[in-house]
Amino acid sequence: MMIKETSLRRDPDLRGELAFLARGCDFVLPSRFKKRLKSFQQSQIQNKPEKKPASPLPSAAALPSSPQPASPTPRVNDAVTAPLSINIPQFYFPDGLPDTCSNYEQILTRVETAFMDIEDQKADIYEMGKIAKVCGCPLYWKAPMFRAAGGEKTGFVTAQSFIAMWKKLLNNRHDDASKFIWLLAKPSCSYLEQEDFIPLLQDVVDTHPGLTFLKDAPEFHSRYITTVVQRIFYTVNRSWSGKITSTEIRKSNFLQTLALLEEEEDINQITDYFSYEHFYVIYCKFWELDGDHDLYISQADLSRYNDQASSSRIIERIFSGAVTRGKTVQKEGRMSYADFVWFLISEEDKRNPTSIEYWFRCMDVDGDGILSMYELEYFYEEQCERMEAMGIEPLPFHDLLCQMLDLVKPASDGKITLRDLKRCRMAHIFYDTFFNLEKYLDHEQRDPFAVQKDVENDGPEPSDWDRFAAEEYEALVTEESAQVQLQEGSFEDYEADEPVSPSEFGNKGNKIVTSSLSEKCGKLQSVDEE
């Protein structure tokens, strides 16, 4: 009900009455409101003082300049009691939980003492390793620390510049993940992009004892670094944003793996991210497909991988932009070496969480986050055509669909989500069924009890990717050794009575690998410069 009289709407007593009337109620009945308003108006008329006709109104100039009195204070019974404020302690620390027990002054004192032992108190990037250890950081943090203190511009870092930088870091970042992000990231950035890792990885290539054989082959540095960067983002960047945050660093094993580089001289033992053998396998697979050696492959090139095991429809989805980044893929229909790293790991290890997401994006044609039955039938049609061409009678789609639904056990009937595939732990069989004919036939011929045993095994077994890389590297090294000995015209090494020690074989294998890559990378350096 509207109160038309302006004076009544502004009357504080009326507002107090209405507040009292509505207290404890969500609404007020109009009849009750009218009755209350009528009684209030009558009481106001009775209490209104009579005007004296002889008393003139004061002029505007005669009015006092004192401020107007405040509105009458509402009665105690009409006032609404405000809730008491609760002091909630801080529970979210994006830059790490501050350690009140740490004595930063002692750390800075030790740093200053360490600089005094260096000539002219100017540390280059190699001497920065000593400073990193004094600060309690892993050895291979030295390159990011060197850059953050301004050493890239002058070629050295003074004690004053480093202490100023490190003091600022200690006051604002309180755990390893946030410190690492702060050291590597661009100014005012709270995340890491791909190019931010290049100085760190270049230092690993230059100083790690397991990569000394690459000193005479600088043309391979950029390709090895590209491989490691893509593997880092493949594993760590769970948001697929191309920007690694401190939260993603904390949830991954990257900092722990980076610290292992200081302890392990054989870099091939560190299969996560840094293994040179894994890089060699990836690059050789790419080189076989890249016919013109321009470091890009087309859909036709990619379809030749593993004797055309993957269907053409899934390859079209890969090049559609569902899992690849950059305008080159969409405009020119070409895949870069960086995108091939993602493809190869996803193809050979479909149990990996990123791989499950990779292939789900490819199969989700309409992008609604659900694999519908028509999408499954779309990919299975080509599998049926290929099996019929091979003289194999395919399973009808309805029967196959029943098997897949029993395999995945989706939460909603007829709708398979990404969560369903991750929970069922048999996503690799599901994906191979719809777009990899060779692996699908292998699964069909395998003992189902052995498949179930693999699923139930939670032990620290090597991943499918680790097994694939180890087998392929051994085959590649054997092939290269045979070619080298064929060129030399001698096979005496194969008939030697004394066995070759593993260390000698590893050194020999590295030399063979390096020479093989030298022959394969004639255009590598020129393309990188472009």
Side-chain angles (χ1 to χ4, degrees), residues 262-296:
E262 180 182 355
E263 304 173 4
E264 181 59 61
E265 293 186 359
D266 185 2
I267 201 167
N268 293 319
Q269 297 298 321
I270 306 177
T271 56
D272 292 339
Y273 314 112
F274 297 101
S275 172
Y276 184 83
E277 292 181 357
H278 289 195
F279 153 68
Y280 181 66
V281 169
I282 295 172
Y283 193 78
C284 285
K285 292 296 181 183
F286 180 81
W287 189 263
E288 292 174 2
L289 301 177
D290 185 15
D292 54 3
H293 304 317
D294 62 346
L295 297 181
Y296 287 96

Side-chain angles (χ1 to χ4, degrees), residues 33-45:
F33 178 79
K34 290 180 180 180
K35 183 178 179 181
R36 190 76 175 184
L37 179 62
K38 185 176 181 180
S39 61
F40 177 79
Q41 289 175 338
Q42 291 176 355
S43 62
Q44 289 290 93
I45 294 174

Side-chain angles (χ1 to χ4, degrees), residues 496-515:
D497 295 332
E498 298 181 358
V500 182
S501 65
S503 59
E504 294 177 356
F505 179 78
N507 295 331
K508 184 177 180 180
N510 287 335
K511 293 179 181 178
I512 294 174
V513 165
T514 306
S515 61

Side-chain angles (χ1 to χ4, degrees), residues 514-527:
T514 306
S515 61
S516 173
L517 285 178
S518 300
E519 297 175 358
K520 293 180 179 180
C521 300
K523 297 183 179 180
L524 177 62
Q525 189 171 1
S526 61
V527 172

Side-chain angles (χ1 to χ4, degrees), residues 284-406:
C284 285
K285 292 296 181 183
F286 180 81
W287 189 263
E288 292 174 2
L289 301 177
D290 185 15
D292 54 3
H293 304 317
D294 62 346
L295 297 181
Y296 287 96
I297 58 176
S298 63
Q299 293 189 33
D301 295 332
L302 188 61
S303 64
R304 292 189 290 106
Y305 176 73
N306 200 12
D307 296 330
Q308 299 181 343
S310 299
S311 67
S312 60
R313 292 183 179 181
I314 200 67
I315 291 178
E316 289 177 0
R317 286 293 299 158
I318 293 174
F319 280 81
S320 68
V323 290
T324 53
R325 300 184 179 93
K327 299 180 181 179
T328 305
V329 177
Q330 285 75 23
K331 288 186 176 181
E332 304 179 12
R334 299 192 302 169
M335 174 184 285
S336 65
Y337 174 70
D339 290 324
F340 180 79
V341 176
W342 285 60
F343 164 78
L344 187 61
I345 299 176
S346 300
E347 170 61 25
E348 300 302 337
D349 187 1
K350 294 186 175 70
R351 306 172 195 256
N352 188 290
T354 305
S355 175
I356 297 175
E357 297 169 6
Y358 185 97
W359 296 117
F360 186 89
R361 287 172 175 242
C362 291
M363 293 190 67
D364 186 15
V365 178
D366 55 8
D368 62 350
I370 296 173
L371 297 185
S372 305
M373 299 304 102
Y374 81 90
E375 290 171 327
L376 301 183
E377 186 175 12
Y378 170 75
F379 287 101
Y380 187 64
E381 282 178 355
E382 185 176 355
Q383 296 286 78
C384 292
E385 294 174 359
R386 300 178 69 183
M387 282 188 282
E388 290 174 353
M390 297 171 61
I392 302 174
E393 183 179 359
L395 191 67
F397 177 71
H398 178 74
D399 296 338
L400 177 84
L401 184 60
C402 293
Q403 290 184 1
M404 293 298 102
L405 293 178
D406 291 340

Side-chain angles (χ1 to χ4, degrees), residues 39-177:
S39 61
F40 177 79
Q41 289 175 338
Q42 291 176 355
S43 62
Q44 289 290 93
I45 294 174
Q46 294 175 1
N47 297 332
K48 188 175 181 180
E50 296 181 357
K51 293 184 179 180
K52 296 181 180 181
S55 58
L57 293 173
S59 62
L63 290 176
S65 61
S66 60
Q68 295 293 330
S71 60
T73 306
R75 291 181 299 222
V76 176
N77 58 347
D78 294 338
V80 179
T81 305
L84 297 177
S85 61
I86 302 175
N87 185 18
I88 301 177
Q90 183 179 355
F91 58 88
Y92 176 58
F93 299 91
D95 297 322
L97 183 64
D99 188 2
T100 57
C101 299
S102 297
N103 190 347
Y104 294 151
E105 295 299 331
Q106 293 182 0
I107 298 176
L108 296 176
T109 302
R110 291 200 300 267
V111 171
E112 188 174 1
T113 304
F115 266 96
M116 294 179 64
D117 296 336
I118 300 174
E119 185 179 358
D120 297 333
Q121 297 188 14
K122 296 179 180 179
D124 57 17
I125 191 170
Y126 300 103
E127 293 168 330
M128 189 56 63
K130 302 176 183 178
I131 307 299
K133 301 304 296 181
V134 171
C135 294
C137 298
L139 175 65
Y140 285 98
W141 282 40
K142 61 180 186 293
M145 295 167 68
F146 184 78
R147 287 170 54 86
E152 187 180 22
K153 299 178 181 179
T154 60
F156 59 86
V157 173
T158 62
Q160 292 79 8
S161 62
F162 182 85
I163 290 176
M165 180 275 295
W166 198 247
K167 186 176 182 179
K168 182 179 179 181
L169 176 69
L170 294 178
N171 291 332
N172 296 282
R173 302 295 185 268
H174 307 291
D175 69 340
D176 289 344

